[in-house]
Amino acid sequence: MSTRTDGHTSGTSRPIDVNDPQVSRFDIVREGARRDDIEIVHYEAQFPVPGTKAERRLTRTIAGMFLLVGLFATAFVVAYVWWPWQYKPGTGAGKLYTPVLGLTLGLALLLVGIGILAWGKKLMPKEVSIQDRHIEPASDEDRKITGSTLVYMADELGVRRRPLLGVSLLAGLAPVGAVAAAPLIGGLIEQPHKNNQYFTTGWKPQDGKRIHLTHHDGTPVRPEDVSPGGQITVFPGIEGGATNKHADSPVLLIHLRESDATEAKAANDRDGKQDFMWGNYIAYSKICTHAGCPASLYEQQTNRLLCPCHQSQFLITDNARPIFGPASRRLPQLPLAVEEGFFVAQSDFTETVGPDFWERP
């Protein structure tokens, strides 16, 4: 039988009565180990003499880590709720929204990991045990032994004699719980559809005037700019219409051949979009309804529009119905008209642009 540095023994010993009130909790733990054929190879307290300066210094260091966890987690929640996140051209606090979230959450998780590792490696007793597998059902005494073992392990954590660690861990992890809940309830904190941003694009008429379809350089588009069977990408003729400020507004303008245009008009009549086309011209949003990629690969012979990201395909002559790939919703169609020889949008899209979301009617 060998003796531990903190006064306990390890190795083989004779059986004891676990119901004996004179038996210590560690004796019960040791008896449980013996009954389970566990050999405690090594068991040594990190600080055999409690309360030393080194132990107190280490406790304060780990507690400081946990408190910093709470600080950074709180900063994450504050930034998530109140930091300006909307895109605005130029520089501004909105550009730092994602980096601030990543930095605060990353530091919180890093410090909680380092703190727990330091607690386990530097404060918990060193133990090496070997155990054989057993398949027999547990007896009442085995259950008592298990309970005593768990309580003993809790004691060995040292929270009772190191309350600073327990308080700091609780203070640090409570904001981490708020971090996990913030994305789930974030939409309840602030109206996500403020300014109707999900349901309007750059094609919305301004001051009663319809928006012109323009080239990338801002020049208006005429019907003769697109040859039969051809297509071009057009943008709303407003300030920043061809920039990321209106990234939801690019449209594919297609000049269908006569037979294809007849088929497309019949599909539009069926779906209540009788006046959406102008002549043989039809226009669809380029934003794929699956993941928001630009659906811009047009197959003239098959009248299919392909999205290069995940291979969704839309049939242009059937109101851009998805016929292949993960997309499950049609591409929104832009109502067309011609004023003074140039294309204009009769109105904004009548459907939401881009990927599906749960609130989409």
Side-chain angles (χ1 to χ4, degrees):
M1 184 180 297
S2 58
T3 304
R4 303 190 328 164
T5 57
D6 59 356
H8 294 302
T9 59
S10 62
T12 305
S13 62
R14 61 185 179 83
I16 64 172
D17 181 7
V18 297
N19 295 309
D20 185 351
Q22 302 299 321
V23 174
S24 68
R25 183 176 294 135
F26 182 78
D27 288 333
I28 296 177
V29 172
R30 181 178 60 186
E31 175 63 14
R34 187 195 66 78
R35 295 186 183 187
D36 280 342
D37 295 331
I38 296 176
E39 179 186 359
I40 301 178
V41 179
H42 180 74
Y43 199 103
E44 176 185 359
Q46 297 277 13
F47 297 95
V49 179
T52 62
K53 289 185 177 179
E55 181 184 7
R56 293 197 301 270
R57 182 169 58 250
L58 183 58
T59 298
R60 290 193 298 270
T61 300
I62 298 174
M65 292 182 185
F66 291 149
L67 293 176
L68 285 175
V69 168
L71 178 64
F72 285 121
T74 301
F76 173 93
V77 174
V78 171
Y80 182 86
V81 176
W82 287 288
W83 195 283
W85 58 270
Q86 292 91 346
Y87 172 82
K88 292 182 180 179
T91 60
K95 295 290 193 300
L96 300 177
Y97 180 70
T98 299
V100 166
L101 293 185
L103 181 64
T104 52
L105 181 58
L107 288 174
L109 297 179
L110 177 65
L111 287 173
V112 74
I114 294 176
I116 290 176
L117 285 175
W119 190 343
K121 292 289 185 180
K122 300 298 183 180
L123 291 179
M124 294 289 292
K126 299 177 181 178
E127 177 182 349
V128 179
S129 301
I130 301 174
Q131 179 182 17
D132 294 333
R133 288 182 178 271
H134 295 277
I135 60 174
E136 296 84 4
S139 64
D140 291 340
E141 286 191 343
D142 288 337
R143 286 193 288 269
K144 180 172 183 177
I145 289 171
T146 301
S148 296
T149 301
L150 293 175
V151 175
Y152 184 80
M153 290 171 60
D155 287 344
E156 289 294 274
L157 285 172
V159 176
R160 289 186 178 179
R161 62 188 181 91
R162 305 182 188 113
L164 178 61
L165 285 178
V167 173
S168 62
L169 181 61
L170 180 62
L173 292 184
V176 174
V179 167
L184 299 178
I185 63 176
L188 303 177
I189 297 174
E190 185 175 352
Q191 168 59 266
H193 302 154
K194 185 170 56 177
N195 301 325
N196 208 23
Q197 57 187 347
Y198 279 144
F199 301 93
T200 60
T201 69
W203 299 107
K204 181 180 179 181
Q206 297 183 0
D207 299 326
K209 296 182 179 180
R210 295 173 172 178
I211 305 300
H212 280 88
L213 278 64
T214 63
H215 295 282
H216 190 275
D217 59 2
T219 57
V221 177
R222 300 172 300 174
E224 52 267 31
D225 291 341
V226 190
S227 58
Q231 52 82 26
I232 61 172
T233 299
V234 296
F235 306 90
I238 58 177
E239 182 180 357
T243 68
N244 284 338
K245 182 178 181 180
H246 295 283
D248 58 353
S249 300
V251 163
L252 197 67
L253 176 64
I254 305 172
H255 187 176
L256 295 171
R257 295 178 293 249
E258 188 67 37
S259 59
D260 298 329
T262 300
E263 185 179 348
K265 289 176 182 177
N268 273 7
D269 291 343
R270 182 196 65 214
D271 294 332
K273 299 179 180 179
Q274 290 84 354
D275 60 345
F276 275 42
M277 293 178 62
W278 185 87
N280 293 345
Y281 295 84
I282 196 167
Y284 291 105
S285 168
K286 287 187 65 173
I287 310 303
C288 181
T289 53
H290 168 238
C293 300
S296 55
L297 302 180
Y298 177 55
E299 288 186 345
Q300 184 185 94
Q301 298 303 318
T302 62
N303 284 309
R304 293 186 179 189
L305 187 61
L306 284 71
C307 177
C309 292
H310 306 100
Q311 288 71 57
S312 293
Q313 297 183 20
F314 305 88
L315 186 58
I316 295 303
T317 54
D318 190 8
N319 198 15
R321 175 173 57 87
I323 57 176
F324 182 83
S328 61
R329 187 166 63 91
R330 302 171 187 268
L331 294 174
Q333 187 176 159
L334 185 69
L336 293 176
V338 171
E339 292 181 354
E340 300 180 354
F342 298 100
F343 275 115
V344 295
Q346 296 184 44
S347 67
D348 203 346
F349 292 103
T350 57
E351 303 173 71
T352 53
V353 171
D356 290 340
F357 57 96
W358 72 274
E359 292 171 307
R360 186 182 68 81

